[in-house]
Amino acid sequence: MMNEVRPMGSNKWVSSLQLMIVIINIMVGASLLMLPRTVAETAKQDMWLSVLLASALMGTSFRIAAALAAYFPAYTSIEYHCILLGRTFGNILNCIMLALMLAITAQFVRVFRMAVKIFLLDLTPSQVIVLALLLLALYATQHGLAPVIRVQQFLFLFSYSIFIFLILLGLLAIEAEHYTPVLANGVKPVLQGTAACWMAYSGPEFIIGLVYPYVARRESVIRFGLAGIGAVAVLYVFITGITLGILGPEEIADFLIPTVMAYRSVEIPDTFIERIDGYLVIVWIAICFTALVNWLYFTGFGIARMMKLENSRSVIVLLLPVICYLENLPPDIQAVMASASWLNYIGLAWGLGVLPLLWGIAWWRRRR
């Protein structure tokens, strides 16, 4: 079977730092502003604990995915699924993985469209917002992985430094009583909230199998990957904790995008700065764009590998109308939230069910 798939070349140029930036960017996107609502419905004032525990689960899933990829360093996950399961079942698994990635991408676009429509461009048709976003992402993905990473490196320091500064301004408006009592309803709601916010961390468990053959220092993959997940965990804890401190657990659950609503009440006395929520949304758009570029590129790249195409340009172009169709399927916000919940638990099953099973098969084959 090893001879029936096409190995990657020896072009190993993705640095450990670049890998960490890609991992951070693919996780942080639409969930950045909606995460507090997702987890507050179950965990209440202990929502920050759920976010922290979810990062540990994603770290575990990433370690397993990286260890699995290390068994086949010259192949992407598209190929080694076939090596492990045979061509038929391997391609079925590839289709499931790529369909899940495509669905997450479409969900991402839908949430982005809703947020921009509500807070910035309320008079602009939704189709125009989606088309502009996807065409810009298409342009960024048309020349391979190297430009994709360079775009992210360019935007990373600028966008995240400003975003973190804006987030920390929320400390001026928090109320300490919103954090107590801790674990008032026991551990079960915290665990339920942990499972509910899996998709906020989703991405690394998919892309490591696709990018691993390109990584220059493979011995540092797990270390830098976990560092990226840890950095996102800290960011998420600050966002959920500050939003909780401003609004309180009951009010958070009433808003579709509670983070923005919370920052409407943040004021900096004796300065010209006002409407912090507006700045927050603007910087969030730049962060969302890099996340979408990742999802779009790696989905197209995976499909191209599966079809044994030389590059993924034409595939990504053909994905755009599919994404437009899928993101428009949910008729209302309730359907959007329901589809997000389904994707969340399917992704959880992939990360903590399918990947450990594949690793077990690879480990057993290696020991024979």
PDB file of all heavy atoms in Angstrom, residues 342-359:
ATOM      1  N   TRP A 342     -24.166  20.730  16.109  1.00  0.00           N
ATOM      2  CA  TRP A 342     -23.891  19.447  15.464  1.00  0.00           C
ATOM      3  C   TRP A 342     -22.438  19.358  15.011  1.00  0.00           C
ATOM      4  O   TRP A 342     -21.764  18.339  15.220  1.00  0.00           O
ATOM      5  CB  TRP A 342     -24.826  19.259  14.272  1.00  0.00           C
ATOM      6  CG  TRP A 342     -26.158  18.696  14.630  1.00  0.00           C
ATOM      7  CD1 TRP A 342     -27.340  19.357  14.761  1.00  0.00           C
ATOM      8  CD2 TRP A 342     -26.456  17.317  14.923  1.00  0.00           C
ATOM      9  NE1 TRP A 342     -28.344  18.511  15.114  1.00  0.00           N
ATOM     10  CE2 TRP A 342     -27.840  17.241  15.214  1.00  0.00           C
ATOM     11  CE3 TRP A 342     -25.697  16.158  14.961  1.00  0.00           C
ATOM     12  CZ2 TRP A 342     -28.462  16.045  15.539  1.00  0.00           C
ATOM     13  CZ3 TRP A 342     -26.327  14.958  15.289  1.00  0.00           C
ATOM     14  CH2 TRP A 342     -27.681  14.917  15.569  1.00  0.00           C
ATOM     15  N   LEU A 343     -21.944  20.413  14.376  1.00  0.00           N
ATOM     16  CA  LEU A 343     -20.555  20.417  13.920  1.00  0.00           C
ATOM     17  C   LEU A 343     -19.597  20.302  15.098  1.00  0.00           C
ATOM     18  O   LEU A 343     -18.555  19.641  15.004  1.00  0.00           O
ATOM     19  CB  LEU A 343     -20.263  21.694  13.132  1.00  0.00           C
ATOM     20  CG  LEU A 343     -20.890  21.796  11.737  1.00  0.00           C
ATOM     21  CD1 LEU A 343     -20.612  23.166  11.138  1.00  0.00           C
ATOM     22  CD2 LEU A 343     -20.349  20.703  10.826  1.00  0.00           C
ATOM     23  N   ASN A 344     -19.947  20.940  16.197  1.00  0.00           N
ATOM     24  CA  ASN A 344     -19.107  20.891  17.387  1.00  0.00           C
ATOM     25  C   ASN A 344     -18.921  19.459  17.870  1.00  0.00           C
ATOM     26  O   ASN A 344     -17.797  18.999  18.119  1.00  0.00           O
ATOM     27  CB  ASN A 344     -19.735  21.744  18.486  1.00  0.00           C
ATOM     28  CG  ASN A 344     -18.936  21.732  19.770  1.00  0.00           C
ATOM     29  OD1 ASN A 344     -17.947  22.428  19.913  1.00  0.00           O
ATOM     30  ND2 ASN A 344     -19.363  20.921  20.728  1.00  0.00           N
ATOM     31  N   TYR A 345     -20.023  18.716  17.966  1.00  0.00           N
ATOM     32  CA  TYR A 345     -19.926  17.356  18.509  1.00  0.00           C
ATOM     33  C   TYR A 345     -19.376  16.356  17.490  1.00  0.00           C
ATOM     34  O   TYR A 345     -18.736  15.375  17.877  1.00  0.00           O
ATOM     35  CB  TYR A 345     -21.293  16.916  19.050  1.00  0.00           C
ATOM     36  CG  TYR A 345     -21.642  17.651  20.320  1.00  0.00           C
ATOM     37  CD1 TYR A 345     -22.597  18.661  20.323  1.00  0.00           C
ATOM     38  CD2 TYR A 345     -20.977  17.366  21.511  1.00  0.00           C
ATOM     39  CE1 TYR A 345     -22.889  19.359  21.489  1.00  0.00           C
ATOM     40  CE2 TYR A 345     -21.265  18.048  22.676  1.00  0.00           C
ATOM     41  CZ  TYR A 345     -22.216  19.040  22.666  1.00  0.00           C
ATOM     42  OH  TYR A 345     -22.491  19.747  23.817  1.00  0.00           O
ATOM     43  N   ILE A 346     -19.609  16.598  16.208  1.00  0.00           N
ATOM     44  CA  ILE A 346     -18.969  15.760  15.189  1.00  0.00           C
ATOM     45  C   ILE A 346     -17.460  15.982  15.218  1.00  0.00           C
ATOM     46  O   ILE A 346     -16.662  15.028  15.145  1.00  0.00           O
ATOM     47  CB  ILE A 346     -19.538  16.069  13.791  1.00  0.00           C
ATOM     48  CG1 ILE A 346     -21.015  15.653  13.714  1.00  0.00           C
ATOM     49  CG2 ILE A 346     -18.735  15.327  12.715  1.00  0.00           C
ATOM     50  CD1 ILE A 346     -21.703  16.095  12.440  1.00  0.00           C
ATOM     51  N   GLY A 347     -17.038  17.243  15.344  1.00  0.00           N
ATOM     52  CA  GLY A 347     -15.614  17.536  15.461  1.00  0.00           C
ATOM     53  C   GLY A 347     -15.003  16.929  16.708  1.00  0.00           C
ATOM     54  O   GLY A 347     -13.858  16.446  16.683  1.00  0.00           O
ATOM     55  N   LEU A 348     -15.751  16.943  17.810  1.00  0.00           N
ATOM     56  CA  LEU A 348     -15.276  16.317  19.050  1.00  0.00           C
ATOM     57  C   LEU A 348     -15.071  14.822  18.859  1.00  0.00           C
ATOM     58  O   LEU A 348     -14.082  14.246  19.328  1.00  0.00           O
ATOM     59  CB  LEU A 348     -16.279  16.592  20.167  1.00  0.00           C
ATOM     60  CG  LEU A 348     -15.934  16.102  21.573  1.00  0.00           C
ATOM     61  CD1 LEU A 348     -14.682  16.787  22.090  1.00  0.00           C
ATOM     62  CD2 LEU A 348     -17.108  16.351  22.522  1.00  0.00           C
ATOM     63  N   ALA A 349     -16.013  14.190  18.155  1.00  0.00           N
ATOM     64  CA  ALA A 349     -15.885  12.754  17.881  1.00  0.00           C
ATOM     65  C   ALA A 349     -14.673  12.468  17.004  1.00  0.00           C
ATOM     66  O   ALA A 349     -13.985  11.456  17.188  1.00  0.00           O
ATOM     67  CB  ALA A 349     -17.162  12.241  17.205  1.00  0.00           C
ATOM     68  N   TRP A 350     -14.395  13.364  16.064  1.00  0.00           N
ATOM     69  CA  TRP A 350     -13.215  13.184  15.210  1.00  0.00           C
ATOM     70  C   TRP A 350     -11.931  13.322  16.032  1.00  0.00           C
ATOM     71  O   TRP A 350     -11.039  12.469  15.957  1.00  0.00           O
ATOM     72  CB  TRP A 350     -13.206  14.211  14.081  1.00  0.00           C
ATOM     73  CG  TRP A 350     -11.994  14.105  13.209  1.00  0.00           C
ATOM     74  CD1 TRP A 350     -10.780  14.713  13.394  1.00  0.00           C
ATOM     75  CD2 TRP A 350     -11.857  13.313  12.023  1.00  0.00           C
ATOM     76  NE1 TRP A 350      -9.905  14.366  12.402  1.00  0.00           N
ATOM     77  CE2 TRP A 350     -10.533  13.503  11.549  1.00  0.00           C
ATOM     78  CE3 TRP A 350     -12.718  12.487  11.319  1.00  0.00           C
ATOM     79  CZ2 TRP A 350     -10.073  12.887  10.399  1.00  0.00           C
ATOM     80  CZ3 TRP A 350     -12.256  11.874  10.167  1.00  0.00           C
ATOM     81  CH2 TRP A 350     -10.950  12.065   9.717  1.00  0.00           C
ATOM     82  N   GLY A 351     -11.848  14.392  16.811  1.00  0.00           N
ATOM     83  CA  GLY A 351     -10.618  14.686  17.528  1.00  0.00           C
ATOM     84  C   GLY A 351     -10.290  13.716  18.645  1.00  0.00           C
ATOM     85  O   GLY A 351      -9.116  13.405  18.894  1.00  0.00           O
ATOM     86  N   LEU A 352     -11.322  13.220  19.345  1.00  0.00           N
ATOM     87  CA  LEU A 352     -11.083  12.350  20.496  1.00  0.00           C
ATOM     88  C   LEU A 352     -11.567  10.923  20.273  1.00  0.00           C
ATOM     89  O   LEU A 352     -11.501  10.098  21.194  1.00  0.00           O
ATOM     90  CB  LEU A 352     -11.768  12.932  21.740  1.00  0.00           C
ATOM     91  CG  LEU A 352     -11.223  14.285  22.205  1.00  0.00           C
ATOM     92  CD1 LEU A 352     -11.983  14.780  23.432  1.00  0.00           C
ATOM     93  CD2 LEU A 352      -9.725  14.223  22.496  1.00  0.00           C
ATOM     94  N   GLY A 353     -12.041  10.631  19.047  1.00  0.00           N
ATOM     95  CA  GLY A 353     -12.482   9.281  18.721  1.00  0.00           C
ATOM     96  C   GLY A 353     -11.736   8.694  17.542  1.00  0.00           C
ATOM     97  O   GLY A 353     -11.024   7.697  17.657  1.00  0.00           O
ATOM     98  N   VAL A 354     -11.864   9.343  16.395  1.00  0.00           N
ATOM     99  CA  VAL A 354     -11.270   8.829  15.165  1.00  0.00           C
ATOM    100  C   VAL A 354      -9.738   8.911  15.207  1.00  0.00           C
ATOM    101  O   VAL A 354      -9.043   7.940  14.869  1.00  0.00           O
ATOM    102  CB  VAL A 354     -11.814   9.598  13.943  1.00  0.00           C
ATOM    103  CG1 VAL A 354     -11.101   9.154  12.670  1.00  0.00           C
ATOM    104  CG2 VAL A 354     -13.313   9.396  13.808  1.00  0.00           C
ATOM    105  N   LEU A 355      -9.207  10.061  15.611  1.00  0.00           N
ATOM    106  CA  LEU A 355      -7.747  10.216  15.611  1.00  0.00           C
ATOM    107  C   LEU A 355      -7.043   9.228  16.554  1.00  0.00           C
ATOM    108  O   LEU A 355      -6.041   8.624  16.162  1.00  0.00           O
ATOM    109  CB  LEU A 355      -7.369  11.656  15.955  1.00  0.00           C
ATOM    110  CG  LEU A 355      -7.650  12.694  14.858  1.00  0.00           C
ATOM    111  CD1 LEU A 355      -7.271  14.089  15.342  1.00  0.00           C
ATOM    112  CD2 LEU A 355      -6.907  12.353  13.571  1.00  0.00           C
ATOM    113  N   PRO A 356      -7.529   9.031  17.790  1.00  0.00           N
ATOM    114  CA  PRO A 356      -6.890   8.010  18.640  1.00  0.00           C
ATOM    115  C   PRO A 356      -6.981   6.608  18.047  1.00  0.00           C
ATOM    116  O   PRO A 356      -6.042   5.812  18.180  1.00  0.00           O
ATOM    117  CB  PRO A 356      -7.672   8.097  19.959  1.00  0.00           C
ATOM    118  CG  PRO A 356      -8.183   9.493  19.988  1.00  0.00           C
ATOM    119  CD  PRO A 356      -8.501   9.826  18.566  1.00  0.00           C
ATOM    120  N   LEU A 357      -8.099   6.308  17.374  1.00  0.00           N
ATOM    121  CA  LEU A 357      -8.238   5.009  16.732  1.00  0.00           C
ATOM    122  C   LEU A 357      -7.214   4.831  15.614  1.00  0.00           C
ATOM    123  O   LEU A 357      -6.559   3.777  15.509  1.00  0.00           O
ATOM    124  CB  LEU A 357      -9.655   4.847  16.184  1.00  0.00           C
ATOM    125  CG  LEU A 357      -9.967   3.528  15.458  1.00  0.00           C
ATOM    126  CD1 LEU A 357      -9.793   2.343  16.410  1.00  0.00           C
ATOM    127  CD2 LEU A 357     -11.379   3.553  14.874  1.00  0.00           C
ATOM    128  N   LEU A 358      -7.033   5.858  14.789  1.00  0.00           N
ATOM    129  CA  LEU A 358      -6.041   5.794  13.716  1.00  0.00           C
ATOM    130  C   LEU A 358      -4.633   5.668  14.282  1.00  0.00           C
ATOM    131  O   LEU A 358      -3.805   4.910  13.755  1.00  0.00           O
ATOM    132  CB  LEU A 358      -6.149   7.042  12.835  1.00  0.00           C
ATOM    133  CG  LEU A 358      -7.402   7.169  11.967  1.00  0.00           C
ATOM    134  CD1 LEU A 358      -7.422   8.520  11.284  1.00  0.00           C
ATOM    135  CD2 LEU A 358      -7.477   6.042  10.950  1.00  0.00           C
ATOM    136  N   TRP A 359      -4.356   6.422  15.358  1.00  0.00           N
ATOM    137  CA  TRP A 359      -3.037   6.318  15.981  1.00  0.00           C
ATOM    138  C   TRP A 359      -2.806   4.909  16.514  1.00  0.00           C
ATOM    139  O   TRP A 359      -1.709   4.357  16.382  1.00  0.00           O
ATOM    140  CB  TRP A 359      -2.895   7.333  17.113  1.00  0.00           C
ATOM    141  CG  TRP A 359      -1.595   7.206  17.828  1.00  0.00           C
ATOM    142  CD1 TRP A 359      -0.405   7.777  17.485  1.00  0.00           C
ATOM    143  CD2 TRP A 359      -1.332   6.415  18.991  1.00  0.00           C
ATOM    144  NE1 TRP A 359       0.586   7.405  18.365  1.00  0.00           N
ATOM    145  CE2 TRP A 359       0.041   6.566  19.306  1.00  0.00           C
ATOM    146  CE3 TRP A 359      -2.119   5.605  19.808  1.00  0.00           C
ATOM    147  CZ2 TRP A 359       0.628   5.929  20.393  1.00  0.00           C
ATOM    148  CZ3 TRP A 359      -1.541   4.966  20.897  1.00  0.00           C
ATOM    149  CH2 TRP A 359      -0.177   5.142  21.178  1.00  0.00           C
TER     150      TRP A 359
END
